[in-house]
């Protein structure tokens, strides 16, 4: 059976209606069957700490709908700044219910306590800003983000069994929680910014892969992984890396593709997984001018394609299999590299192709290896060796490598 609680304002008046659960209030679904609890206010909805909404056992399904800033009956005006605050104990897992949150006003939706709907769905729909605080856990089959005109901040942990859905009507999305995996293929369709920032040394995993090509820009701090054959597609729009980060490093063999990438001062970006055949495509990679230099490491045994300029406060560039061996899938360098330190391109077991528009200049030396090496640009260094290892001509252990000083 449905239970609906509505509050509004009387005709011709200006007051707003707010629904607040009283201290110690407990709403519980105790009988078998399915019920819907709807709280609708033309003002705010407040579920404070010390209150609870729950189910008591299997077969007891409770679907909860929270609607703030929503017209009630004859009301024609809603509170323009309506908001929703959830701090209550919220556990519908025994019956696998659902939670739908909609805010018609410009105020924020704040989730300050964990929400568990088992294998049900959490739909977060509308609001200027929507924040799940650090320390919270959202447990559901699917977390569905829709119609958020501000920023969706998911600062806690996601425990999902099906996946995360981000609709095209969402603006900005920020995930700063760490240590969890999102199942399925996650496609960020939002038009604003995307931040994937679990923190240096921490990870967010996208089990089936991640596609984020529509956000206007992307920011990463930490490690982003995939599994199986899941791809990591961060192409099209700019990517900013604000702390030491790894893109890859999981168990996936799916392709990794990055858009033009800017590294903050002193940052090292690692792309790929050691000894794993991951196709990797990079566009331009640059540091931040005027500060500490940054570095780029690519590790894979799959093919590497480097399509953009690499330079501006870049110290070292290293492309290998991650264990000291070569990229058997080959390396194609189509634009120039300029490094204050060294450049290592090791395609041992594959071919190294340096295009006619690609020059390499590194102050601390250049090392180029491949079954064959072909290049059309200039290669230079400041007082250090340029080492070419042609493994089709000089098998390792049979002949010395050739070295040139320039």
């Amino acid at each position: 059976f449905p239970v609906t609680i509505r509050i509004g304002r009387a005709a011709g008046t200006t007051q707003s209606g707010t629904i607040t659960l009283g201290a110690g209030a407990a709403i519980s679904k105790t009988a078998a069957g399915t019920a819907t609890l709807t709280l609708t206010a033309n003002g705010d909805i407040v579920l404070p700490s010390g209150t609870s909404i729950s189910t008591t056992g299997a077969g007891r399904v409770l679907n909860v709908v929270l609607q703030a800033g929503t017209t009630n009956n004859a009301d024609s005006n809603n509170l323009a700044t309506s908001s929703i605050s959830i701090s209550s104990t919220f556990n519908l897992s025994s019956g696998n219910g659902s939670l739908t949150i909609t805010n018609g006003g410009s105020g924020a939706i704040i989730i300050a306590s964990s929400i568990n709907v088992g294998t049900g769905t959490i739909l977060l729909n509308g609001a200027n800003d929507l924040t799940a605080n650090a320390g919270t856990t959202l447990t559901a089959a699917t977390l569905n983000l829709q119609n958020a005109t501000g920023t969706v901040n998911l600062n806690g942990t996601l425990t999902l069994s099906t996946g995360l859905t981000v609709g095209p009507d969402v603006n900005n999305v920020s995930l700063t929680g760490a240590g969890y995996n999102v199942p399925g293929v996650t496609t960020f369709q939002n038009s604003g910014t995307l931040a994937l920032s679990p923190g240096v040394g921490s990870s967010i995993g996208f089990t089936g892969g991640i596609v984020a090509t529509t956000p206007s820009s992307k920011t990463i701090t930490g490690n982003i992984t995939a599994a199986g054959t899941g791809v990591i597609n961060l192409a099209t729009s700019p990517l900013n890396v604000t702390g030491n980060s790894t893109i890859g490093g999981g168990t996936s063999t799916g392709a990794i593709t990055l858009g033009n990438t800017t590294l903050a001062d002193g940052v090292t970006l690692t792309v790929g997984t050691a000894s794993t055949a991951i196709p990797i495509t990079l566009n331009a990679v640059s540091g931040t001018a005027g500060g500490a230099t940054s570095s780029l490491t690519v590790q894979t045994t799959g093919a590497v394609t480097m399509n953009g300029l690499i330079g501006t406060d870049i110290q070292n560039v290293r492309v290998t299999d991650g264990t000291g061996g070569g990229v058997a899938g080959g390396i194609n360098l189509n634009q120039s590299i300029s490094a204050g330190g060294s450049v290592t391109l090791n395609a041992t077991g594959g071919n190294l192709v340096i295009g006619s528009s690609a020059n390499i200049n590194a102050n601390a030396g250049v090392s180029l290896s491949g079954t064959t090496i072909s290049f059309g640009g200039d290669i230079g260094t400041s007082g250090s060796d340029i080492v070419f290892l042609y493994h089709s001509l000089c098998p390792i252990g049979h002949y010395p490598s050739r070295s040139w000083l320039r």
Side-chain angles (χ1 to χ4, degrees):
F1 60 93
V3 175
T4 302
I5 300 173
R6 294 190 178 95
I7 188 167
R9 68 180 86 180
T13 66
T14 58
Q15 75 269 22
S16 61
T18 296
I19 295 178
T20 302
L21 291 188
I27 299 174
S28 181
K29 177 74 168 69
T30 59
T34 299
T36 300
L37 170 65
T38 303
L39 304 181
T40 302
N42 68 334
D44 304 329
I45 295 177
V46 180
L47 308 181
S49 178
T51 64
S52 65
I53 299 177
S54 64
T55 55
T56 60
R60 296 159 174 81
V61 181
L62 181 61
N63 300 313
V64 177
V65 179
L66 306 179
Q67 299 173 320
T70 300
T71 298
N72 283 286
N73 299 331
D75 295 337
S76 60
N77 296 305
N78 301 313
L79 181 64
T81 58
S82 65
S83 63
I84 298 176
S85 175
I86 301 174
S87 299
S88 59
T89 300
F90 209 109
N91 192 343
L92 310 180
S93 61
S94 64
N96 299 315
S98 66
L99 172 63
T100 300
I101 304 176
T102 303
N103 182 21
S106 62
I109 296 173
I110 302 294
I111 299 173
S113 59
S114 295
I115 295 174
N116 189 343
V117 299
T119 58
T121 296
I122 298 174
L123 170 61
L124 304 178
N125 185 25
N128 181 38
D129 291 320
L130 189 156
T131 299
N133 289 349
T136 63
T137 299
L138 303 183
T139 302
T142 301
L143 175 60
N144 192 342
L145 307 180
Q146 299 289 339
N147 301 321
T149 59
T151 299
V152 177
N153 298 289
L154 301 178
N155 300 327
T157 297
L158 303 182
T159 303
L160 307 175
S161 56
T162 299
L164 170 65
T165 300
V166 180
D169 295 324
V170 177
N171 190 16
N172 306 319
V173 177
S174 173
L175 278 65
T176 63
Y180 61 84
N181 292 295
V182 179
V185 178
T186 304
T187 301
F188 289 89
Q189 301 180 69
N190 58 300
S191 58
T193 62
L194 172 64
L196 303 174
S197 301
V200 174
S202 297
S203 300
I204 298 176
F206 296 91
T207 305
I210 171 177
V211 177
T213 57
T214 61
S216 58
S217 66
K218 301 167 288 267
T219 299
I220 288 178
T221 306
N223 304 330
I224 307 302
T225 68
T229 57
V231 304
I232 299 178
N233 187 348
L234 305 178
T236 307
S237 57
L239 173 65
N240 300 299
V241 182
T242 57
N244 291 341
S245 300
T246 298
I247 299 174
T251 60
S252 175
T253 57
I256 297 175
T257 307
L258 306 185
N260 291 343
T261 302
T262 301
L263 311 183
D265 287 339
V267 163
T268 295
L269 171 63
T270 301
V271 183
T273 305
S275 302
T276 304
I278 300 171
I280 294 175
T281 300
L282 305 179
N283 285 286
V285 180
S286 63
T288 300
T293 57
S294 302
S295 294
L296 171 67
T297 297
V298 178
Q299 50 188 24
T300 181
T301 58
V304 175
T305 302
M306 307 168 76
N307 288 327
L309 295 171
I310 298 177
T312 308
D313 269 13
I314 291 294
Q315 181 67 12
N316 300 314
V317 176
R318 183 175 179 82
V319 182
T320 70
D321 71 349
T323 64
V327 178
I331 301 172
N332 284 274
L333 179 67
N334 297 319
Q335 291 291 336
S336 296
I337 298 176
S338 178
S342 63
V343 171
T344 299
L345 304 179
N346 186 344
T348 300
N351 299 321
L352 173 58
V353 179
I354 301 172
S356 59
S357 298
N359 302 319
I360 300 175
N361 184 65
N363 291 341
V366 176
S367 177
L368 306 176
S369 306
T371 300
T372 63
I373 301 175
S374 61
F375 56 95
D378 294 329
I379 300 173
T381 187
S382 299
S384 295
D385 285 343
I386 301 174
V387 179
F388 297 86
L389 298 179
Y390 303 86
H391 291 286
S392 61
L393 302 177
C394 301
I396 294 176
H398 291 189
Y399 302 96
S401 63
R402 300 181 181 180
S403 300
W404 285 265
L405 182 65
R406 179 176 180 181

